[in-house]
Structure formats: structure tokens, C-alpha cells
Amino acid sequence: ARRFATETGQSPITWLVAARLTCAQELQESTGLPVEAVAHAAGFASADLLRKHFRVRYGTSPQAHRLAMRHGVADLADHAHD
């Protein structure tokens, strides 16, 4: 874990959650899958866990993000807390 953190600047779990969130964000933007299916496809154990991490990182829910993308609202990267 130390070597991973040295190489990436993140703990393994932080990196993994970030990768899963990126995948979930892309699925939310490019598919009509329900949040439960997006969570599963992105590697989260549940939709509730996806919602929790999504809100912490992006300040919004996955569903609100999808609606915003359909209406042309600014990219989430502008709101990430990283």
C-alpha cells in the first residue's frame, strides 16, 4: 500500500473509489441504465454506496447529474473535491 501511495499519491482504496466513480459518471452520461445497474456495473456493492460516494465527490446525486447532463449543465469535473 505504501508503494502504491508513493506511485499514485493515493491510497489503494481512494484510487479504486475514484476509478469506480469515473466509470459510474460515464455510464450515467452515456446510458439510460437505472442507478442500481450503474452501481453494479461500476463495481459498487449497492446503489446507496454509489450515491454516498458520488455526493461526496461531486456534490450531487447520480440522478441529478444525469438530469443536469441532459439539460447541458457544466461538467462535474468543475465541482469535484479532489
Side-chain angles (χ1 to χ4, degrees), residues 1-71:
R2 269 186 236 155
R3 187 172 194 180
F4 187 91
T6 299
E7 294 292 323
T8 66
Q10 300 176 319
S11 70
I13 192 66
T14 300
W15 180 89
L16 181 60
V17 169
R20 288 177 175 172
L21 283 169
T22 298
C23 179
Q25 178 186 353
E26 290 170 0
L27 288 169
Q28 282 292 107
E29 292 175 5
S30 65
T31 73
L33 292 172
V35 174
E36 292 77 12
V38 168
H40 177 75
F44 287 97
S46 69
D48 287 339
L49 196 55
L50 167 60
R51 288 182 189 102
K52 173 189 165 195
H53 286 290
F54 205 94
R55 185 170 300 281
V56 167
R57 179 161 181 165
Y58 300 119
T60 190
S61 70
Q63 189 62 27
H65 170 67
R66 177 178 278 164
L67 292 172
M69 291 299 101
R70 286 184 182 157
H71 292 95

